[in-house]
Amino acid sequence: MSDATYLYAVARDALPECPAGVADLPVRTIGREGLVAYVSTVPLEQFGEQALRRSLEDMDWLAETARAHHRVVDAVAAATPTAPVRLVTVYDDDGHVRDLLDRRGDDFLRVLARVTGRREWGVKAYADPAAGVGPGPGASGGGNGESCPGPSASGGGGAGRPGTAYLQRRRASLRGREQVRRQVLQRADHIHRALSELAAASYRHRAQDPRLSGRHDWMLLNGAYLVDEGRDAEFAEQAAALGGDGVEIRVTGPWAPYSFTVMEMG
């Protein structure tokens, strides 16, 4: 056997045409029990287990493959409820994909029902640690507002000993950092709760490494929100209103609902 079957997504309906997939290969469908799998036939010399181990370390190959994978998923999701699968999901042949649809058909149908009429939006919140972060619009203060006391001006406590002034400054600095950290966490929690109230589901991803985000300020929030299509404008408006007071909000989307549909394939 020289070929394998690459799986992009499972959806309700078959599109009359689809963009080219990974390695610029054509995309076709496999239907089973009211579900449609979008696949490509791929050569094992490129997508076999050993070849993939090497290729996944090649950032250029990985980026190109990811773009092609997402291009197919986005085209399908724009036309019909879609459950994307993870990048580089490869099966031995079409028969294994049919078996997957048979075994996990009910799971796919539940996922597709969940995302029907909804789209995923991403919200990232950033702050400059040097500028400080306030509670934000509509937020309760969260803390008690008290400030950390500085070193005592009285002569007690060995203030004249060598190193004492340095230690006092060091403690004050650490207290200040901890206070900023608490403010950041409170602000991020407030933003996420407010947006989750408008969404059918929400997921809080880990903050991105600055090397990936391309920014050097703090990422307070990296959230995904599954939003009814009729509430898109309301959601975007609320997200924008949650910025300010030291926080920048970036909204992206709509996307295929990756954060709410990916299942472990067996």
Side-chain angles (χ1 to χ4, degrees), residues 56-73:
L56 290 173
E57 296 177 357
D58 182 340
M59 291 297 102
D60 291 336
W61 182 93
L62 188 60
E64 182 179 351
T65 301
R67 283 194 295 269
H69 181 98
H70 298 320
R71 182 170 61 240
V72 173
V73 170

Side-chain angles (χ1 to χ4, degrees), residues 44-266:
L44 284 175
E45 64 183 16
Q46 295 182 44
F47 290 89
E49 186 175 351
Q50 293 184 356
L52 282 177
R53 285 200 192 102
R54 296 189 299 269
S55 296
L56 290 173
E57 296 177 357
D58 182 340
M59 291 297 102
D60 291 336
W61 182 93
L62 188 60
E64 182 179 351
T65 301
R67 283 194 295 269
H69 181 98
H70 298 320
R71 182 170 61 240
V72 173
V73 170
D74 288 345
V76 177
T80 182
T82 301
V85 303
R86 296 186 188 279
L87 183 68
V88 194
T89 298
V90 182
Y91 290 89
D92 289 342
D93 53 34
D94 288 6
H96 284 79
V97 175
R98 293 190 184 95
D99 179 64
L100 171 70
L101 297 181
D102 288 339
R103 288 186 294 103
R104 305 294 300 278
D106 288 344
D107 295 332
F108 279 116
L109 288 172
R110 279 192 292 270
V111 166
L112 293 173
R114 185 188 193 194
V115 302
T116 298
R118 295 166 173 159
R119 301 187 288 186
E120 178 173 332
W121 290 84
V123 176
K124 294 180 174 64
Y126 299 92
D128 181 351
V133 174
S140 60
N144 55 20
E146 63 187 22
S147 59
C148 297
S152 173
S154 64
R161 295 174 185 170
T164 299
Y166 167 78
L167 291 175
Q168 289 174 332
R169 290 194 300 271
R170 176 66 173 167
R171 291 191 190 103
S173 175
L174 292 174
R175 285 195 297 266
R177 291 181 186 179
E178 178 61 21
Q179 186 176 23
V180 170
R181 189 185 74 86
R182 287 196 302 268
Q183 290 172 339
V184 164
L185 293 176
Q186 290 168 359
R187 183 68 182 276
D189 288 344
H190 168 67
I191 295 170
H192 183 63
R193 284 196 303 269
L195 295 177
S196 295
E197 290 177 358
L198 293 176
S202 60
Y203 186 81
R204 196 164 172 177
H205 295 285
R206 296 178 65 178
Q208 288 180 328
D209 187 301
R211 290 172 296 182
L212 296 176
S213 67
R215 302 181 60 131
H216 299 291
D217 42 6
W218 287 348
M219 181 181 283
L220 313 186
L221 176 68
N222 183 14
Y225 304 89
L226 187 64
V227 180
D228 291 339
E229 291 180 355
R231 304 191 75 178
D232 285 352
E234 180 186 4
F235 180 84
E237 182 178 346
Q238 172 73 324
L242 290 166
D245 202 9
V247 171
E248 177 190 348
I249 299 288
R250 293 192 63 189
V251 180
T252 59
W255 308 110
Y258 284 97
S259 300
F260 306 96
T261 58
V262 172
M263 299 164 25
E264 292 300 325
M265 300 293 103

Side-chain angles (χ1 to χ4, degrees), residues 2-8 22-28 30 39-44 47 92-94:
S2 60
D3 293 327
T5 303
Y6 183 107
L7 178 62
Y8 301 91
V22 296
D24 206 29
L25 292 166
V27 175
R28 54 190 176 82
I30 300 173
V39 303
S40 288
T41 299
V42 294
L44 284 175
F47 290 89
D92 289 342
D93 53 34
D94 288 6

